[in-house]
């Protein structure tokens, strides 16, 4: 490796680490605010908050690494051009491809990291994140209940307690259970005690009423049924993990599971199409790191030298990549609806890099305007002497 390659690649690598970590930390901070309530208001230990939000970081890095690689590459070469260093290097006989070698080396490492994130770390971390969510909503539901607040345990169970005593006894309880869509139940009780059951936490209620509306059927009108009880119990956990496992999110699955889902899951056709598009997107998205880097190199190196810097080239490069990001979102949505558009995912990932490489090579085959001969003016039809 030449001294010039080491010099430029070191600048790009250090800047890339700083920008990527800083941007990921900023995104982590904004996204983790929605989980801070678990620590401040609901009594979970701070270590749970750190572990839960830390599992989101691989997804952040997988998304921002292609963008930060482009940004760092573009502005590193624009700065070299502004400081006249590129002029000196070109005067020493270095071609554009030789000058681009340091950025391509760093981009290759970034691409390898993106492949590792997309193919392994993102599904593993997201599966662990979803598992934590399940545990908090089900097995840890007992500590999420607050006095004087309607606490939602999942999307189909709401619990209210007027008072929660230091020993855990609840007083003035209202439970609305709609886990059975055909027969929602509302329970009122004087007091209750939270304990452990076979499926997770369970609240045992004393001296209350169980109210249930029987759905209207053929020739029947809805009827309210009220049952008084001295003791009753309600599971705060969901009915089981099997349903949760059957409906795993696409980000929890590896590429093989996305491209070839298990027929036993009985997925809907639209889910199969969405999973297949997601799988090809996982395979293609790391390649955008190289493509975006080549776009940045083409914007910085293929433009002519300007005495007052390459601000225009930087603006054009940024605008082009912003447009590519918008097109990538549209292509992903289109391919998820109709898998016939999946080749557009690969075209979006590789096409800009091919065009940028062609520009860096001097745009061979592109018609060029011949320079005017000295001593004549071709526009006026005056021949040269």
């Amino acid at each position: 490796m030449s001294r010039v390659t080491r010099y430029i690649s070191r600048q790009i690598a250090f800047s890339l680490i700083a920008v990527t970590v800083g941007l990921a930390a900023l995104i982590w901070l904004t996204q983790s605010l929605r989980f801070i309530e678990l620590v401040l208001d609901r009594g979970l230990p701070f270590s749970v908050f750190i572990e839960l939000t830390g599992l989101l970081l691989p997804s952040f890095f997988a998304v921002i690494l292609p963008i930060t690689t482009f940004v760092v590459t573009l502005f590193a070469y624009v700065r070299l051009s502004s400081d006249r260093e590129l002029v000196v290097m070109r005067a020493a006989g270095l071609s554009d491809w030789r000058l681009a070698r340091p950025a391509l080396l760093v981009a290759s490492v970034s691409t390898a990291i993106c492949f590792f994130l997309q193919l392994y770390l993102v599904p593993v971390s997201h599966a662990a994140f979803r598992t934590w969510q399940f545990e908090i909503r089900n097995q840890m539901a007992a500590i999420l209940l607050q006095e004087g607040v309607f606490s939602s345990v999942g999307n189909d169970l709401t619990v209210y307690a007027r008072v929660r005593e230091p020993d855990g006894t609840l007083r003035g309880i209202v439970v609305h259970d709609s886990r059975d869509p055909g027969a929602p139940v509302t329970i009122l009780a004087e007091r209750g005690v939270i304990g452990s059951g076979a499926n997770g936490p369970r609240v045992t209620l004393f001296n209350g009423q169980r109210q249930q509306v029987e759905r209207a059927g053929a020739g029947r009108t809805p009827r309210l049924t009220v049952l008084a009880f001295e003791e009753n119990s309600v599971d705060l956990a969901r009915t089981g993990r099997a349903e949760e496992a059957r409906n795993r999110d696409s980000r929890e699955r590896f590429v093989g599971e996305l491209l070839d889902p298990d027929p036993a899951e009985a997925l809907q056709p639209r889910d199969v199409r969405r999973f297949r598009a997601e799988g090809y997107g996982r395979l293609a998205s790391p390649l955008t790191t190289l493509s975006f880097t080549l776009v940045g190199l083409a914007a910085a190196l293929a433009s002519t030298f300007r005495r007052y810097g390459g601000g225009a080239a930087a603006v054009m490069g940024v605008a082009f990549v912003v447009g590519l990001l918008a097109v990538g979102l549209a292509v992903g949505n289109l391919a998820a609806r109709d898998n016939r558009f999946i080749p557009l995912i690969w075209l979006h990932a590789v096409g800009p890099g091919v065009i940028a490489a062609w520009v860096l090579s001097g745009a061979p085959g592109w018609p060029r305007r011949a320079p005017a001969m000295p001593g004549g003016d071709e526009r006026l039809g005056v021949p040269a002497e």
Side-chain angles (χ1 to χ4, degrees):
M1 183 183 296
S2 66
R3 184 175 300 178
V4 172
T5 301
R6 288 198 303 270
Y7 170 69
I8 300 177
S9 60
R10 186 165 55 246
Q11 293 187 45
I12 296 175
F14 288 157
S15 300
L16 178 61
I17 293 173
V19 173
T20 303
V21 171
L23 185 58
L26 179 62
I27 297 175
W28 173 82
L29 181 61
T30 57
Q31 293 296 313
S32 62
L33 292 178
R34 55 195 175 108
F35 299 103
I36 197 68
E37 181 186 1
L38 298 176
V39 177
L40 298 181
D41 298 335
R42 302 195 177 186
L44 287 181
F46 189 72
S47 59
V48 172
F49 167 77
I50 294 296
E51 184 172 355
L52 183 65
T53 56
L55 293 172
L56 299 174
L57 287 175
S59 300
F60 299 158
F61 280 114
V63 172
I64 67 175
L65 193 54
I67 302 173
T68 55
T69 304
F70 157 76
V71 171
V72 168
T73 298
L74 176 62
F75 284 97
Y77 279 86
V78 168
R79 187 190 63 79
L80 291 173
S81 178
S82 301
D83 293 344
R84 311 298 190 269
E85 294 181 70
L86 287 183
V87 176
V88 175
M89 295 176 188
R90 280 172 170 152
L94 297 181
S95 65
D96 285 346
W97 279 109
R98 183 74 178 274
L99 292 172
R101 184 184 300 174
L104 294 177
L105 289 175
V106 176
S108 299
V109 175
S110 298
T111 302
I113 294 174
C114 285
F115 270 115
F116 173 72
L117 291 172
Q118 293 283 15
L119 301 183
Y120 176 75
L121 198 54
V122 167
V124 169
S125 63
H126 193 72
F129 175 78
R130 291 288 300 274
T131 301
W132 262 110
Q133 281 189 320
F134 183 88
E135 294 293 336
I136 290 174
R137 291 176 179 176
N138 295 273
Q139 304 304 320
M140 303 179 71
I143 64 174
L144 300 182
L145 301 181
Q146 305 174 67
E147 64 177 17
V149 175
F150 286 90
S151 302
S152 296
V153 184
N155 298 323
D156 42 22
L157 181 64
T158 302
V159 181
Y160 172 85
R162 179 171 50 84
V163 176
R164 180 169 183 169
E165 298 180 352
D167 61 354
T169 301
L170 306 175
R171 296 191 180 277
I173 303 172
V174 178
V175 178
H176 181 71
D177 187 354
S178 58
R179 286 175 287 191
D180 184 358
V185 175
T186 301
I187 303 175
L188 299 89
E190 292 182 1
R191 65 183 182 93
V193 178
I194 296 178
S196 298
N199 297 324
R202 169 182 293 181
V203 57
T204 302
L205 306 172
F206 300 93
N207 300 329
Q209 290 183 345
R210 177 186 177 94
Q211 302 176 2
Q212 183 174 357
V213 177
E214 295 182 357
R215 298 291 186 182
R220 295 189 304 171
T221 58
R223 186 178 63 177
L224 174 64
T225 301
V226 179
L227 175 65
F229 62 85
E230 293 184 359
E231 181 177 336
N232 193 9
S233 61
V234 177
D235 288 327
L236 298 182
R238 293 181 179 176
T239 54
R241 293 176 181 263
E243 182 179 355
E244 190 82 10
R246 286 195 299 271
N247 297 317
R248 288 186 302 156
D249 188 82
S250 62
R251 287 176 293 177
E252 296 179 72
R253 301 169 183 260
F254 292 98
V255 171
E257 298 176 277
L258 293 171
L259 298 181
D260 187 20
D262 187 357
E265 295 185 81
L267 297 173
Q268 296 293 328
R270 64 176 181 274
D271 293 328
V272 174
R273 292 193 298 268
R274 180 169 56 87
F275 285 178
R276 187 171 290 116
E278 171 78 14
Y280 283 109
R282 292 257 196 96
L283 293 173
S285 61
L287 299 178
T288 59
T289 307
L290 275 175
S291 288
F292 289 176
T293 301
L294 285 168
V295 170
L297 289 170
L301 296 178
S303 59
T304 57
F305 171 75
R306 290 178 174 83
R307 179 175 298 179
Y308 299 104
V315 171
M316 290 177 58
V318 171
F320 188 72
V321 169
V322 169
L324 287 177
L325 293 174
V327 170
L329 293 176
V331 166
N333 292 332
L334 190 62
R337 295 191 186 99
D338 190 342
N339 287 163
R340 290 178 297 178
F341 294 101
I342 284 178
L344 293 180
I345 295 177
W346 293 100
L347 181 62
H348 169 265
V350 179
V354 173
I355 296 175
W358 174 71
V359 173
L360 275 175
S361 300
W366 186 262
R368 299 177 182 276
R369 183 180 178 182
M373 298 297 293
D377 192 340
E378 293 181 350
R379 292 172 299 176
L380 299 176
V382 179
E385 296 180 356

